[in-house]
């Protein structure tokens, strides 16, 4: 499994978990909101009950004439029949109940219970009373106004409430909690954590009644199966989508294009120099500046990054950066006027004349030593503009070298047009020179032509003494290659020269 694959998997899983947590949190909020909304239905019922009671009192008081007469009892029974929540209606003389709609005239008047509280519209409420009159009911509420007492069984609310959650109606009086209707929910057992366990929503009204609703997220999600399914599907889709995106992004980040682009801004390029040696004296007479790249992911080699730099239109910023860095290091190591320094350029900067910026560059203009411009022979410099540019540069004192000579378009006329002073024989000719390879047999001809044209020849890619000796015998005066030194820092080159 590749590293990118693992990273993508870990990141997308983490993201999917975050999404699930987010959706879970959203669901808990949704559930609380639903519990609050649903609990309102109990208050609506209580309002209904209250309205029932008010109109019953009004009608009864209006029609009352002779207490507990047959007509009066008939009125009370009719009224009871019309109401939804009232279980019995009693007539009181102010201190005792004399008759009720269900029991008729009581043989022994029943004392009125103690008032628990007086409701906002003036009704005197007694809660948690027994009502022996009607099948010995317990915990009824009695509401008295005028001559009439309405007996309400709060449990009857349960028949009308269609809450999908366990609920309890309680009444608070003087800080004491009285169960009024619904399931008895143990308030201690309800966990009020915001996101886990059971959730209790409590809503109170101005009359001291509170509705408690209890639920947990699992029940909620089970009850809302489509929502749950959607959450799981969304998390899955999001996880998959982010996996694909992250993987693509990481691949992109790892791509050379991305690294090179970032590398320009992050200063990931640095120059090394490779010595050019005079065979006769074995002295280092010059060096070629070769760019290197290193970032957190490791090294990239010129054959990888040069085409990208060119394709991204960064050739000149990159080249001038290399030139300035290399010249600073060479100067710092006290080699400025001791060796010539050769740079590689991209053809575009020559054909479009950008390279002429060198003539305005203070570091280049003030340079005490010899500078060389290497042109790769495999690229044809078409049109007279490039030739003009190179002419200006040679007039300004730059040496021009044809790199990779033998691999490209060159003929002597072409070399002449480019105003060059060096031919660098490509290392493919040097490779098997000590074994008398056919390809290397052309070297003496190149040397002869170059001598006639007044050009110096450098053989590239010299890797051993036998090659160096053979090249010397063929008339080559200057060499470059691993045998004399791999590309190195300017400080190393200075040490090498001092040896
Ligand atoms: N426009 C620019 N081009 C640049 C720059 N820096 C480098 N380059 C060009 O990239 C090509 C590859 O360069 P590199 O990988 O640095 O390879 C050079 C040497 O390391 C290698 N070399 C030198 N001696 C030997 C040897 O003995 N054996 C062996 N196998 N390889 C050797 O050759 C490359 C130098 O080639 P050349 O430039 O033709 O002299 C290369 O084309 C570079 O030009 C840059 O800053 N700008």
């Amino acid at each position: 499994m590749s590293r990118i694959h693992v990273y993508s998997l870990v990141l997308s899983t983490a993201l999917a978990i975050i999404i699930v947590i987010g959706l879970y949190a959203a669901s808990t909020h949704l559930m609380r909101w639903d519990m609050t909304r649903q609990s309102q239905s109990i208050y609506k019922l209580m309002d209904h009950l209250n309205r029932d009671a008010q109109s019953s009192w009004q009608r009864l008081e209006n029609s009352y004439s002779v207490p507990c007469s047959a007509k009066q009892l008939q009125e009370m029974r009719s009224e009871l029949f019309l109401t939804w929540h009232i279980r019995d209606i009693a007539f009181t003389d102010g201190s005792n109940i004399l008759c009720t709609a269900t029991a008729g005239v009581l043989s022994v008047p029943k004392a009125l219970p103690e008032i628990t509280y007086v409701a906002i519209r003036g009704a005197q409420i007694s809660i948690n009373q027994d009502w022996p009159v009607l099948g010995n009911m317990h915990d009824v509420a009695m509401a008295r106004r005028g001559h009439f007492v309405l007996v309400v069984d709060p449990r009857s609310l349960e028949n009308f409430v269609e809450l999908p959650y366990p609920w309890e109606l309680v009444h608070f009086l003087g800080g004491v909690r009285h169960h009024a209707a619904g399931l008895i929910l143990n308030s201690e057992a309800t966990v009020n954590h915001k996101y886990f366990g059971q959730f209790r929503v409590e809503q109170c009204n101005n009359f001291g009644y509170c509705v408690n609703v209890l639920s947990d997220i699992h029940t909620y999600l089970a009850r809302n199966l489509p929502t749950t399914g959607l959450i799981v599907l969304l998390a899955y889709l999001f996880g998959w989508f982010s996996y694909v995106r992250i993987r693509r992004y990481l691949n992109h980040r790892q791509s050379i294009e991305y690294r090179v682009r970032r590398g320009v801004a992050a200063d990931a390029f640095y120059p090394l120099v490779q010595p050019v040696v005079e065979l006769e004296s074995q002295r280092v007479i010059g060096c070629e500046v070769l760019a290197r790249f290193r970032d957190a992911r490791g090294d990239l080699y010129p054959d990888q990054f040069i085409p990208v730099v060119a394709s991204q239109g960064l050739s000149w910023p990159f080249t001038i950066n290399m030139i300035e860095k290399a010249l600073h290091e060479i100067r710092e190591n006290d080699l400025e006027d001791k060796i010539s320094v050769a740079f590689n350029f991209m053809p575009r900067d020559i054909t479009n004349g950008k390279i002429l910026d060198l003539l305005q560059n203070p570091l280049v203009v003030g340079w005490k030593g010899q500078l060389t411009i290497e042109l790769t022979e495999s690229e044809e410099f078409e049109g007279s503009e490039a030739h003009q540019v190179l002419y200006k540069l040679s007039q300004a004192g730059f040496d021009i070298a044809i790199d990779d000579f033998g691999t490209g378009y060159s003929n002597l006329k072409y070399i002449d047009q480019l105003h060059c002073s060096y031919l660098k024989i490509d290392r493919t000719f040097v490779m098997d020179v000590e074994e008398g390879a056919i390809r290397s047999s052309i070297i003496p001809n190149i040397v002869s032509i170059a001598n006639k044209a007044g050009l110096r020849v450098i053989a590239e890619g010299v890797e051993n003494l036998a090659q160096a000796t053979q090249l010397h015998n063929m008339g080559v005066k200057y060499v470059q290659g691993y045998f004399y030194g791999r590309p190195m820092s300017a400080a190393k080159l200075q040490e090498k020269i001092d040896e």
Side-chain angles (χ1 to χ4, degrees), residues 260-464:
V260 168
R261 230 186 7 253
R262 296 246 334 170
V264 173
D267 209 21
F269 293 96
Y270 62 97
L272 291 183
V273 290
Q274 188 178 31
V276 175
V277 171
E278 187 183 40
L279 272 173
E280 189 67 40
S281 62
Q282 294 288 302
R283 269 189 327 114
V284 175
I285 54 112
C287 68
E288 178 183 356
V289 175
L290 296 163
R292 293 292 179 263
F293 176 98
R294 178 168 293 164
D295 66 6
R297 284 214 154 67
D299 292 327
L300 287 177
Y301 289 93
D303 290 336
Q304 294 175 290
F305 64 72
I306 294 285
V308 178
V309 167
S311 71
Q312 309 242 337
L314 297 168
S315 62
W316 186 248
F318 160 81
T319 303
I320 194 66
N321 179 255
M322 269 317 97
I323 293 174
E324 288 181 346
K325 275 186 181 160
L327 291 183
H328 276 301
E329 284 177 25
I330 289 168
R331 181 175 277 172
E332 272 168 21
N333 285 284
D334 205 20
L335 293 174
E336 181 172 350
D337 50 1
K338 295 194 177 119
I339 54 171
S340 68
V341 186
F343 296 99
N344 291 285
F345 291 85
M346 295 189 214
R348 174 191 300 179
D349 293 326
I350 295 167
T351 49
N352 67 15
K354 196 71 192 150
I355 192 172
L356 292 173
D357 283 6
L358 287 177
L359 304 178
Q360 258 83 54
N361 185 293
L363 186 59
V364 172
V365 171
W367 192 253
K368 293 191 195 120
Q370 181 61 45
L371 297 176
T372 303
I373 292 163
E374 291 199 8
L375 308 177
T376 307
E377 198 225 19
S378 56
E379 282 132 4
E380 194 173 10
F381 292 100
E382 277 175 2
S384 57
E385 287 90 349
H387 300 162
Q388 294 274 312
V389 167
L390 292 170
Y391 176 70
K392 280 188 192 157
L393 289 165
S394 70
Q395 287 300 100
F398 288 91
D399 275 343
I400 292 173
I402 301 289
D403 204 2
D404 304 337
F405 186 76
T407 58
Y409 302 92
S410 307
N411 55 41
L412 281 178
K413 186 166 158 262
Y414 179 74
I415 290 167
D416 193 41
Q417 280 172 348
L418 295 181
H419 314 283
C420 59
S421 355
Y422 283 99
L423 290 186
K424 292 185 83 174
I425 301 176
D426 189 65
R427 72 164 180 273
T428 51
F429 294 94
V430 174
M431 230 153 43
D432 298 318
V433 67
E434 72 276 34
E435 287 160 20
I438 298 181
R439 200 169 156 75
S440 61
S441 62
I442 197 177
I443 295 175
N445 296 43
I446 298 176
V447 173
S448 151
I449 293 166
N451 285 343
K452 278 186 201 144
L455 304 173
R456 281 160 285 175
V457 172
I458 301 173
E460 291 188 293
V462 181
E463 293 186 347
N464 55 50

Side-chain angles (χ1 to χ4, degrees), residues 169-183:
L169 180 69
V170 292
H171 186 266
F172 281 97
L173 196 75
V176 183
R177 184 179 194 274
H178 301 279
H179 169 80
L183 278 176

Side-chain angles (χ1 to χ4, degrees), residues 445-491:
N445 296 43
I446 298 176
V447 173
S448 151
I449 293 166
N451 285 343
K452 278 186 201 144
L455 304 173
R456 281 160 285 175
V457 172
I458 301 173
E460 291 188 293
V462 181
E463 293 186 347
N464 55 50
L465 183 60
Q467 288 174 343
T469 311
Q470 189 60 17
L471 289 165
H472 189 237
N473 294 340
M474 289 174 162
V476 173
K477 292 210 171 94
Y478 307 101
V479 283
Q480 179 181 342
Y482 291 169
F483 183 62
Y484 295 97
R486 286 179 178 261
M488 59 186 87
S489 66

Side-chain angles (χ1 to χ4, degrees), residues 86-357:
I86 297 166
R87 289 302 161 106
D88 205 353
I89 297 173
F91 179 84
T92 167
D93 61 1
S95 43
N96 289 309
I97 291 171
L98 304 180
C99 57
T100 86
T102 56
V105 180
L106 301 183
S107 49
V108 181
K110 182 177 164 43
L112 273 174
E114 256 185 49
I115 298 166
T116 321
Y117 65 95
V118 178
I120 279 189
R121 288 191 183 91
Q124 297 166 343
I125 312 289
S126 308
I127 62 168
N128 295 333
Q129 299 299 314
D130 290 339
W131 187 243
V133 177
L134 192 72
N136 228 352
M137 286 172 67
H138 300 292
D139 301 333
V140 296
M142 294 166 69
R144 180 192 156 203
R145 220 176 86 174
H147 291 92
F148 295 91
V149 178
L150 307 179
V151 179
V152 179
D153 180 3
R155 278 166 296 245
S156 72
L157 281 178
E158 290 160 23
N159 299 331
F160 296 92
V161 175
E162 287 172 359
L163 233 62
Y165 309 103
W167 61 274
E168 182 184 15
L169 180 69
V170 292
H171 186 266
F172 281 97
L173 196 75
V176 183
R177 184 179 194 274
H178 301 279
H179 169 80
L183 278 176
I184 298 179
L185 306 177
N186 182 353
S187 63
E188 297 308 311
T190 55
V191 180
N192 260 329
H193 192 280
K194 216 172 165 197
Y195 295 111
F196 300 107
Q198 284 190 313
F199 299 85
R200 182 165 61 90
V201 168
E202 186 175 72
Q203 271 213 305
C204 299
N205 67 6
N206 296 334
F207 310 107
Y209 283 100
C210 295
V211 176
N212 282 269
V213 181
L214 196 68
S215 186
D216 58 68
I217 189 72
H218 311 292
T219 317
Y220 175 76
L221 290 179
R223 277 204 184 104
N224 293 279
L225 263 182
T227 316
T228 313
L230 194 70
I231 288 176
V232 172
L233 187 73
L234 277 180
Y236 175 78
L237 285 179
F238 186 83
W240 177 248
F241 176 76
S242 51
Y243 169 76
V244 171
R245 299 293 305 185
I246 290 168
R247 200 174 166 166
R248 196 175 298 166
Y249 174 71
L250 290 179
N251 271 327
H252 170 69
R253 269 188 70 118
Q254 224 196 14
S255 72
I256 293 177
E257 280 86 357
Y258 178 84
R259 289 174 66 189
V260 168
R261 230 186 7 253
R262 296 246 334 170
V264 173
D267 209 21
F269 293 96
Y270 62 97
L272 291 183
V273 290
Q274 188 178 31
V276 175
V277 171
E278 187 183 40
L279 272 173
E280 189 67 40
S281 62
Q282 294 288 302
R283 269 189 327 114
V284 175
I285 54 112
C287 68
E288 178 183 356
V289 175
L290 296 163
R292 293 292 179 263
F293 176 98
R294 178 168 293 164
D295 66 6
R297 284 214 154 67
D299 292 327
L300 287 177
Y301 289 93
D303 290 336
Q304 294 175 290
F305 64 72
I306 294 285
V308 178
V309 167
S311 71
Q312 309 242 337
L314 297 168
S315 62
W316 186 248
F318 160 81
T319 303
I320 194 66
N321 179 255
M322 269 317 97
I323 293 174
E324 288 181 346
K325 275 186 181 160
L327 291 183
H328 276 301
E329 284 177 25
I330 289 168
R331 181 175 277 172
E332 272 168 21
N333 285 284
D334 205 20
L335 293 174
E336 181 172 350
D337 50 1
K338 295 194 177 119
I339 54 171
S340 68
V341 186
F343 296 99
N344 291 285
F345 291 85
M346 295 189 214
R348 174 191 300 179
D349 293 326
I350 295 167
T351 49
N352 67 15
K354 196 71 192 150
I355 192 172
L356 292 173
D357 283 6

